[in-house]
Amino acid sequence: MNEEWWKNAVIYQVYPKSFLDTNNDGIGDLKGIDTKLNYLKELGVDALWISPIYLSPQIDNGYDIADYRKIDPMFGNNKDLEQLIKDAHRKNIRIIMDMVANHTSDKSVWFEESCKSKNNYFSDFYIWKDPKSDGSKPNNWGSNFGGSAWTYDDNRKQYYLHYYGKQQPDLNWENPKVRQVIYDVMRYWKAHGVDGWRMDVITSISKNQEFPNNPNPHQLKYVVGNQNNGPRMHEFIHEMNQEVFKPFSMMSVGEAPDSKSKDARLLVEPDREELNMIFTFEHMHVDRKPGDVNGRWAIQPVDVVQLKRTLANWQNTLDGHGWNALYFENHDRARTPSRWGNDKNYRYESATAFATILHGLKGTPFVYQGEEIGMTNPEFELKDYEDIELRTNYDKLVRKEKTISEADFLKAARKISRDNARTPMQWDSSENAGFTKGDPWFKLNPNYKNLNVSRDLNSDKSVFKYYQKLIELRHKENILKDGKFKLLLPDDKSIFIYTRTLGADEWVVVANLSDKLQQVDVLSKYSDYKTIISNYESEKLKILRPYEARILKK
Ligand code: GLC
Ligand code: CA
């Protein structure tokens, strides 16, 4: 077995709730994924990362797990997962599960027991603190989902910590028993055939045991910050590697919110035996105003220079020291054509231009369901959004702190909110896009009649077919895996251009990330290069039309 199979693989993320419903309850399910394996095989992906499907109250769409060993009945049962794994393996598609190890649901028996007393087996499974002498919270830490990160429990007369919702208490990784139960769960799923793990907010597991107040420049009641890269993080992740990833040859990709490229080296440098890859957030912050009190809701137009600088920095810093995970979309991100491209006049062109840039880089590309047909943001009204993050931040920023107007919040939500990617998958033009024959759990993007898999496949501008080609290149061409990366024109505000070189081979990857025609003089250097892939029919050597993209080969 090829231990580093993920190095020339493309991984497809399934958000099961919104993928395909087979029993008409309006919720996507495991059988739905199984039904579409041929579709995924045709696309060419090597593995599926499946967002959490364990028993869960679904406060945060499954990122609040009540029982790690049980599939939630809304998705099917454990047997259905075994079947899916078997069917996928038969087609040479690997299965990556999502492990939420930083927190559980408050409905987990571990937490219910922990609440009961200070001296039972589970008492120290979570992070409990006494109130301050005046009864107030242990410190000023804020939750990502609004308000304090501490909630009082009447029975224990103590506060427990939660970086996310109060229904998502953080596990106490200082407790070796906690670490062992998590490793045990991971081995349990390995025994069922799972091939690897996506580790949810894994850089948050180690907490500063002094629990200091966060710096508070905006004089807020609670401050979100310093949740990542705690003092024992590397030690814990290394231990997980030794207990699970290494002995059972499981692939690992960790979500690493605040990591800079130099932190990444410590997480993915192979000799250190921690993780294979991490998802950085840095390049996804190029459309937010830095340091703004409204955080990610303070949007600005995408800064292409900053995007290039950030991606290039990760390429260069990890070169020879680790492997990049490459993505623009996932269940927490908006749709790229709507967010950074132009989903009105150049949907096909902008979807494929960003795809070209991403898939030409060194690392493992991740494709999020619907990305392969260029799905777009739905532009809902506030009442239509479901996400806990959006709702809690609306309460905090618009209602309580009044740091952003409702109109600006809605504008930001339509651009960047997580729900943009969570609308049901658009399979065809039939009612509810062929996603369900029941009542869909979440509103569909009303554009599904025109934008769906079956129409895309029959169009001469098929995003799917473009992705298919990119994925095929990744499988065939070692230069994409091993070639050296070099950024050209770092200061150009619209053109993203770089080379990959391996021995005597050289490829040029170029895209115009604007909706204006651009003249790119440096392209004349490559006049005798051959076009391998392009998103316009004919080309003019030095001219790139709106969102025109190409890969050229010496
Ligand atoms: C990660 C998940 C996100 C979830 C959060 C808390 O960021 O991707 O969806 O809300 O962790 O588990
Ligand atoms: Ca269903």
Side-chain angles (χ1 to χ4, degrees), residues 125-239:
F125 263 50
Y126 297 84
I127 301 166
W128 293 97
K129 289 273 167 250
D130 290 330
K132 287 204 205 144
S133 49
D134 63 355
S136 64
K137 313 210 148 69
N139 63 27
N140 71 358
W141 291 3
S143 150
N144 291 308
F145 292 166
S148 170
W150 297 97
T151 291
Y152 188 73
D153 177 71
D154 269 339
N155 192 49
R156 275 186 69 148
K157 310 237 174 309
Q158 285 184 308
Y159 287 96
Y160 66 87
L161 180 70
H162 52 90
Y163 279 170
Y164 294 87
K166 63 176 189 302
Q167 308 90 334
Q168 295 168 290
D170 278 40
L171 285 163
N172 175 19
W173 274 71
E174 300 292 320
N175 181 350
K177 289 182 209 149
V178 165
R179 310 206 292 271
Q180 286 305 327
V181 290
I182 293 290
Y183 306 152
D184 229 39
V185 166
M186 295 167 82
R187 289 185 288 248
Y188 172 84
W189 289 112
K190 171 70 195 181
H192 289 75
V194 168
D195 301 287
W197 291 104
R198 180 264 185 185
M199 303 299 302
D200 191 60
V201 289
I202 195 62
T203 48
S204 297
I205 55 180
S206 165
K207 274 78 180 176
N208 182 341
Q209 293 301 298
E210 278 152 34
F211 296 90
N213 275 327
N214 280 326
N216 194 356
H218 298 292
Q219 307 291 312
L220 303 170
K221 206 158 163 204
Y222 309 113
V223 191
V224 180
N226 292 319
Q227 294 183 347
N228 293 287
N229 311 319
R232 297 181 69 190
M233 175 189 74
H234 289 296
E235 176 196 336
F236 295 156
I237 297 178
H238 176 69
E239 184 182 86

Side-chain angles (χ1 to χ4, degrees), residues 3-6 11 95-97 99 186 194-200 202 237-238 240-242 244-246 248-255 267-268 270 273-279 323-325 364 366:
E3 296 257 313
E4 294 198 326
W5 61 267
W6 36 273
I11 302 180
I95 299 291
I96 313 295
M97 294 264 274
M99 174 50 56
M186 295 167 82
V194 168
D195 301 287
W197 291 104
R198 180 264 185 185
M199 303 299 302
D200 191 60
I202 195 62
I237 297 178
H238 176 69
M240 185 185 303
N241 177 295
Q242 303 299 296
V244 184
F245 303 142
K246 187 176 173 182
F248 298 99
S249 308
M250 299 190 93
M251 188 215 88
S252 57
V253 52
E255 190 192 27
L267 286 161
V268 299
E273 304 193 319
E274 294 189 16
L275 298 163
N276 295 138
M277 298 171 261
I278 60 170
F279 290 121
W323 198 252
N324 274 290
T364 298
F366 286 74

Side-chain angles (χ1 to χ4, degrees), residues 20-30 73-75 436:
L20 180 67
D21 173 27
T22 57
N23 65 346
N24 306 334
D25 64 354
I27 303 169
D29 41 53
L30 289 173
M74 75 163 58
F75 296 121
T436 181

Side-chain angles (χ1 to χ4, degrees), residues 60 63 103 145 164 198 200-201 255 331-332 418 422:
D60 187 17
Y63 287 90
H103 47 269
F145 292 166
Y164 294 87
R198 180 264 185 185
D200 191 60
V201 289
E255 190 192 27
H331 66 294
D332 294 331
R418 311 196 302 178
R422 298 177 179 185

